[in-house]
Amino acid sequence: MCVNRIFVPLQKHVFLGMKVLLINGSPRGNGNTFLALSEVAKTLNGEGIETEIISIGKKAVQGCIACGMCGRIGKCTFNDDLYYKVMRAVKDGIDGLVVGSPVYYGGPNGSLCALLDRVFYSLGPDLQYKPGASVVVCRRGGATAAFDRLNKYFTMMNMPLVSSQYWNMVYGQTPGQAAQDDEGLQTMRTLGRNMAWLLKRLNAGDGSLPEQEMHVWTNFIR
């Protein structure tokens, strides 16, 4: 019997000169958080947006000590490869940022927050007005609390927050289990499409930014 085979050529992504950085805040480089972020990245690639995923790994991460040195030298004073890898990506020019984390005790991974404190404190001017989104992966609960915690980084840095059809959360405990969460993965794809849509609209504009007032700092002391 003759069988007619139809060969479909592999899809080649034509990138539009825009790039999104995705930070995998899980110590498991190929776990469920990576799976969720990969779904976002694949969708962005399909929309012509280049992506890079940086995983924080299992090494201890130095937290911010509020020394203020970054304000003088333009980068964090601590010399570690993870921070520099993120800093180089940001300095080379990204158009958007997605941060993913597993849920630990109702919040994001502490090592991830230690990194983000330093990144946002020292690289804030480079991140302003870049669309941002957070993704959380949990076994059962705590996802919305972790989601809220991560979103605070974006909302105090003038970064447009990218939404989806639901809160950006995926369920899964054992490695690969997140692949069974059909709604969660659809939420990731919707997030990717929404970010691509926003980036394209921003890129098509005149590039002007909102006028900023001189920053006012007030400390509440009785």
Side-chain angles (χ1 to χ4, degrees):
M1 181 175 63
C2 179
V3 178
N4 293 322
R5 292 182 173 88
I6 300 176
F7 294 95
V8 180
L10 293 174
Q11 180 181 5
K12 293 184 179 180
H13 299 303
V14 179
F15 295 122
L16 304 174
M18 292 177 281
K19 182 177 180 180
V20 171
L21 173 65
L22 300 96
I23 299 177
N24 175 14
S26 171
R28 297 177 176 84
N30 294 299
N32 289 315
T33 304
F34 177 78
L35 193 155
L37 289 175
S38 295
E39 198 74 8
V40 179
K42 285 187 291 185
T43 304
L44 285 167
N45 293 160
E47 294 284 341
I49 312 295
E50 186 181 354
T51 57
E52 178 184 3
I53 299 179
I54 294 178
S55 295
I56 66 170
K58 297 182 179 180
K59 292 183 179 180
V61 181
Q62 171 68 49
C64 178
I65 60 171
C67 65
M69 279 297 293
C70 60
R72 283 182 269 175
I73 63 177
K75 62 181 181 63
C76 183
T77 188
F78 293 111
N79 300 307
D80 59 90
D81 291 339
L82 178 60
Y83 171 84
Y84 276 113
K85 189 180 293 184
V86 174
M87 184 187 75
R88 282 194 295 269
V90 171
K91 292 290 188 180
D92 285 345
I94 60 170
D95 300 279
L97 176 64
V98 180
V99 177
S101 177
V103 175
Y104 295 158
Y105 288 93
N109 180 6
S111 294
L112 172 64
C113 291
L115 172 67
L116 294 179
D117 286 352
R118 292 165 59 203
V119 166
F120 277 80
Y121 198 61
S122 63
L123 303 175
D126 298 290
L127 293 170
Q128 288 196 93
Y129 301 106
K130 306 290 178 66
S134 59
V135 168
V136 293
V137 178
C138 71
R139 179 191 71 85
R140 184 173 178 84
T144 54
F147 184 58
D148 175 67
R149 171 72 176 84
L150 290 175
N151 284 339
K152 284 181 168 61
Y153 287 103
F154 308 120
T155 54
M156 68 178 295
M157 204 56 66
N158 294 310
M159 298 175 70
L161 203 61
V162 184
S163 60
S164 185
Q165 65 191 42
Y166 193 70
W167 297 306
N168 304 334
M169 49 200 283
V170 178
Y171 285 89
Q173 180 182 18
T174 57
Q177 200 169 45
Q180 302 175 38
D181 183 3
D182 291 338
E183 183 178 355
L185 293 182
Q186 185 181 64
T187 301
M188 297 299 102
R189 293 191 296 273
T190 302
L191 171 61
R193 284 191 293 270
N194 287 350
M195 176 163 276
W197 173 83
L198 180 57
L199 288 175
K200 291 174 184 177
R201 295 304 181 279
L202 291 172
N203 193 59
D206 60 7
S208 62
L209 297 175
E211 181 181 350
Q212 292 191 40
E213 298 182 15
M214 183 68 70
H215 203 131
V216 176
W217 299 94
T218 56
N219 299 315
F220 296 94
I221 302 173
R222 291 184 182 275

